Amino acid sequence: MKILSIVGARPNFMKVAPLHRAFLNYPDIESKIIHTGQHYDAKMSDVFFNQLELPKPDYFLGVGGGSHTQQTAKIMIEFEQVMKAEKPDIVLVVGDVNSTIACAMVAVKEHIPVVHVEAGLRSGDRRMPEEINRIMTDCISDQLFVTEIAGMNNLKRESIADEKVHFVGNVMIDSLVYYREKASRLTLLDEMGLKPKSYVLMTMHRPSNVDSEEGLKNILTIIKNTTVRKTVLFPVHPRTLKNMETFGLLDELRSLSDVIILEPQGYLEFLYLMENAEIIITDSGGIQEETTYLKVPCLTFRESTERPVTVEVGTNYLLSDLNPESVRELVSKILDGGAKEGHIPDFWDGHAAERIVDILREKYLVNQEQ
């Protein structure tokens, strides 16, 4: 059984790594990795592949940027050539990036089964390109692997056949569990003169938050208010850095006291910084899940979340806008001992990839042999 696993953006690497590792345990599975190059930074991609112990991708499509439509179209054209050369038995896609829906559509048109890992997530906001990608990918996939109960409910509501849907847990957490001890051996805090739980970790990159002067000024105010109580570590996303410069706010950011500005971090470095943070302030999707497992309070700036279990069960707080006063009050409440007690969701135990492989072998190998 030949499986092509698709990666296009950095979060995909963390999801494919435990799957590829699990596939290697079976001599009857041939696992190949296709990197579309949707998000590609040579330095960061190399860091992630090395840290996650992934082999060099079997194919690098190099599609680069462009509009969502251009990018999706380029991926489809390039991936079609890979499909013709490889003739896989399964195409495995993860998450919700353009690479996911593009490669899924090519596979379906070639009558190759599509497996979607992290299926069923819904924010309810169709203005988000990722939401459209999720809905379309789930609609055409043959096997759907779900991370949380809300995903099961969403797919049932959308009339996806029960036999296609499997509640297996979260492969992002597989990576976290696998690499946690390795990350703990890093010495970043010593190098910065900080102690565990002495800082708030911040990331901001979503266009709705960082593409306007108002949003960036609110981020600066949030940082200023937070540094009254804690040092702020801020790995700055290239988009955020560029916009800070465009609106003439970069010098102000750099002048703030008790703020440590960092370059984007590798996977192990960021895992280490998350685990040792007192609070995390972000607009990321995946960080909601990782902080829930680590039981670190997380303030997420999103109008909605496709991962409601992180709010209902975990340590995530959803904030609909960049209101500095709301953030100041919530940060103070948490620092004064008022954080909610979070729990780890069902099946977030580091074994999701193994459950996925067992199901795929039963569906596509054992049935063939019989």
Side-chain angles (χ1 to χ4, degrees):
M1 181 166 68
K2 182 190 289 188
I3 301 176
L4 303 186
S5 297
I6 312 301
V7 297
R10 287 198 292 273
N12 297 162
F13 304 165
M14 285 89 87
K15 295 164 190 172
V16 165
L19 289 161
H20 179 71
R21 195 163 54 244
F23 292 147
L24 294 180
N25 291 326
Y26 296 94
D28 52 9
I29 295 178
E30 182 183 1
S31 173
K32 292 196 170 186
I33 296 173
I34 316 301
H35 189 343
T36 68
Q38 177 183 330
H39 293 164
Y40 185 67
D41 173 297
K43 177 184 169 189
M44 288 305 292
S45 280
D46 289 347
V47 164
F48 272 68
F49 269 88
N50 291 335
Q51 290 189 346
L52 296 168
E53 300 158 29
L54 282 166
K56 182 181 176 184
D58 295 274
Y59 292 86
F60 177 69
L61 307 186
V63 300
S67 70
H68 287 282
T69 302
Q70 291 169 335
Q71 197 174 66
T72 303
K74 284 192 280 188
I75 294 167
M76 291 181 73
I77 291 167
E78 294 300 322
F79 185 58
E80 184 180 41
Q81 302 308 310
V82 175
M83 289 285 289
K84 288 178 178 176
E86 289 292 334
K87 297 179 170 53
D89 298 295
I90 290 173
V91 169
L92 184 148
V93 295
V94 297
D96 53 22
V97 297
N98 290 337
S99 300
T100 298
I101 182 58
C103 294
M105 285 196 290
V106 172
V108 166
K109 289 175 183 288
E110 296 289 331
H111 309 293
I112 300 300
V114 174
V115 170
H116 187 201
V117 175
E118 201 180 73
L121 299 182
R122 300 288 183 268
S123 68
D125 183 358
R126 292 200 177 196
R127 295 170 299 173
M128 298 173 67
E130 301 97 327
E131 184 79 349
I132 303 303
N133 292 345
R134 292 179 202 120
I135 293 168
M136 292 176 64
T137 304
D138 286 343
C139 188
I140 61 177
S141 291
D142 295 88
Q143 303 298 328
L144 298 92
F145 294 103
V146 181
T147 59
E148 60 177 271
I149 291 296
M152 301 292 287
N153 296 335
N154 292 332
L155 295 173
K156 184 175 282 293
R157 190 164 51 246
E158 293 169 14
S159 301
I160 304 293
D162 289 345
E163 60 267 22
K164 292 183 175 184
V165 180
H166 316 278
F167 180 29
V168 293
N170 194 329
V171 290
M172 278 280 278
I173 302 305
D174 286 15
S175 278
L176 188 156
V177 169
Y178 187 80
Y179 295 107
R180 190 177 187 182
E181 195 277 328
K182 186 176 180 181
S184 72
R185 299 198 294 268
L186 298 176
T187 58
L188 288 176
L189 293 187
D190 290 341
E191 293 162 18
M192 291 185 282
L194 295 173
K195 295 188 181 305
K197 306 300 178 184
S198 69
Y199 62 89
V200 171
L201 180 62
M202 173 181 265
T203 75
M204 287 286 170
H205 74 281
R206 288 196 174 270
S208 57
N209 292 327
V210 305
D211 279 6
S212 69
E213 184 174 6
E214 180 187 8
L216 293 171
K217 283 184 173 179
N218 283 334
I219 289 169
L220 286 172
T221 303
I222 288 167
I223 293 172
K224 290 175 191 173
N225 291 343
T226 305
T227 56
V228 172
R229 300 286 301 268
K230 293 281 180 178
T231 296
V232 172
L233 291 191
F234 190 10
V236 184
H237 189 278
R239 183 188 194 102
T240 308
L241 190 69
K242 178 176 174 290
N243 289 338
M244 284 275 187
E245 193 164 21
T246 299
F247 290 110
L249 299 171
L250 190 55
D251 288 343
E252 183 178 358
L253 173 64
R254 287 175 169 157
S255 71
L256 296 178
S257 58
D258 291 319
V259 178
I260 299 176
I261 298 171
L262 302 172
E263 292 185 346
Q265 298 294 293
Y267 176 68
L268 293 179
E269 288 81 3
F270 196 74
L271 173 54
Y272 171 85
L273 293 176
M274 281 195 296
E275 174 130 39
N276 288 292
E278 181 77 10
I279 300 172
I280 295 173
I281 298 176
T282 187
D283 57 10
S284 164
I287 289 174
Q288 302 171 78
E289 297 177 323
E290 293 166 317
T291 50
T292 280
Y293 184 86
L294 295 170
K295 296 190 175 181
V296 176
C298 181
L299 281 56
T300 303
F301 291 104
R302 304 269 297 274
E303 289 186 5
S304 58
T305 179
E306 65 281 4
R307 297 166 168 91
V309 75
T310 63
V311 177
E312 295 161 3
V313 174
T315 56
N316 188 28
Y317 299 81
L318 203 62
L319 300 171
S320 61
D321 58 34
L322 287 166
N323 184 319
E325 186 56 27
S326 299
V327 178
R328 188 190 65 76
E329 291 175 2
L330 185 51
V331 167
S332 293
K333 178 183 175 182
I334 292 169
L335 293 178
D336 292 336
K340 62 182 175 181
E341 183 183 359
H343 301 281
I344 296 172
D346 293 341
F347 289 146
W348 289 25
D349 56 4
H351 300 290
E354 296 161 36
R355 287 189 278 269
I356 290 169
V357 176
D358 286 345
I359 292 167
L360 291 180
R361 295 189 78 254
E362 181 185 351
K363 293 276 184 184
Y364 296 104
L365 272 176
V366 174
N367 287 346
Q368 281 178 10
E369 291 164 3
Q370 291 173 345

